[in-house]
Every structure is written in structure tokens, then in C-alpha cells.
Amino acid sequence: ARRTHAPPVEMAAICVSQIRAVGPAAVASKRRVALRSRAAVKSRAVATAATETDEVQKVLKEGNVTVEYQRRKAKEMVQFFKQQDYDQAVEESQVFGFTAKNEINNGRWTMFGLLVGMLTEYATGVDFIDQIKLTISVLGIADIYD
């Protein structure tokens, strides 16, 4: 069986070293290049799949389907699906920037903060802006509360 990609552990180590070396912006551009190269590898895989299909047809016509042949094909399938899972995990692993997950969390924290501010206003009678001024004064950041 041919290997077209590095094992997931090696790829993860390469990605971590790239992030440490150049930062997130450069890694994002390298990720785009990697995705393009994966697309090229997939197109080559389609071409080799055609030859493999011919090989399978030949084996089936000859009737030489052995347990060893089935085992080899099963290992190739397992490797293919592991690689697909890894590729999907890499594509979905964006951590920095505007991602849907980050934006949902930001919205939830904002709603929670507004809820706490409204409940505090209800309990104390001090409006939200005055609460912020009071907090800044009490923490000693600035003396803005009259």
C-alpha cells in the first residue's frame, strides 16, 4: 500500500511547529496551500482509483480473491477513512479569528453580562452605566464616580 500523507502524529507535530515559528496568519495561508495540495492529491487518487478498479476487475475475473487480498484491501480502506477523518479534523480546527463557535460564545457571554446588569439594576436601583462607573471607581482604575 502506498502512503501519500504523513501519519497524523507527524502532521500534528509539523502544524504545531509552524504555529510556533510563524504565527496564526502565516499558518492560515499555509493551510490554504495545504488544502489546494490535498485537492491535487485527491485528483491523483481518483486517477489511481481507476487503475485499482481495473486491478480489482482483473482479480475478480481470474477468481483469485484470497484472504490475503481481502486483508490488504481492508487495511487500505481503514487507512483511507482514517485519513479522511484526520483531514476533516484539520479543516475544522480553526481556533483563532471569527469562527461560528467563537461568535456563539461571545454572544452568550454578552447576554449573560446584560442579564446580570439588569438584575443588579432591579435589586439596587442603580442603572447599568452607573454600575460600570462605580465598578471602575471601586477597583481604583479611575475616579469617575461623583
Side-chain angles (χ1 to χ4, degrees), residues 43 54 132 136:
S43 65
D54 295 339
I132 294 172
I136 291 173

Side-chain angles (χ1 to χ4, degrees), residues 61-77:
K61 284 181 184 177
E62 292 174 359
N64 294 335
V65 180
T66 62
V67 172
E68 195 57 40
Y69 174 78
Q70 291 175 348
R71 185 175 292 134
R72 182 170 40 100
K73 287 298 178 182
K75 285 182 181 180
E76 288 174 9
M77 285 177 59

Side-chain angles (χ1 to χ4, degrees), residues 30-142:
K30 288 183 180 185
R31 175 184 274 165
R32 285 190 290 275
V33 171
L35 290 175
R36 285 188 205 124
S37 67
R38 280 193 203 120
V41 168
K42 286 182 182 179
S43 65
R44 278 186 257 131
V46 169
T48 58
T51 59
E52 289 177 359
T53 304
D54 295 339
E55 174 192 345
V56 170
Q57 293 298 328
K58 179 181 170 187
V59 168
L60 290 176
K61 284 181 184 177
E62 292 174 359
N64 294 335
V65 180
T66 62
V67 172
E68 195 57 40
Y69 174 78
Q70 291 175 348
R71 185 175 292 134
R72 182 170 40 100
K73 287 298 178 182
K75 285 182 181 180
E76 288 174 9
M77 285 177 59
V78 167
Q79 182 181 11
F80 173 77
F81 286 111
K82 282 183 179 178
Q83 185 63 42
Q84 274 200 332
D85 288 343
Y86 174 73
D87 289 343
Q88 183 179 4
V90 167
E91 290 174 11
E92 295 173 354
S93 68
Q94 181 180 0
V95 179
F96 301 106
F98 295 103
T99 63
K101 188 175 181 180
N102 291 346
E103 291 303 312
I104 288 172
N105 285 331
N106 288 341
R108 288 176 180 164
W109 280 109
T110 302
M111 288 185 288
F112 179 73
L114 290 172
L115 177 69
V116 168
M118 287 187 288
L119 290 174
T120 305
E121 183 176 348
Y122 176 75
T124 63
V126 179
D127 67 354
F128 194 67
I129 301 299
D130 286 337
Q131 290 176 35
I132 294 172
K133 288 179 183 178
L134 182 61
T135 303
I136 291 173
S137 293
V138 168
L139 291 175
I141 297 172

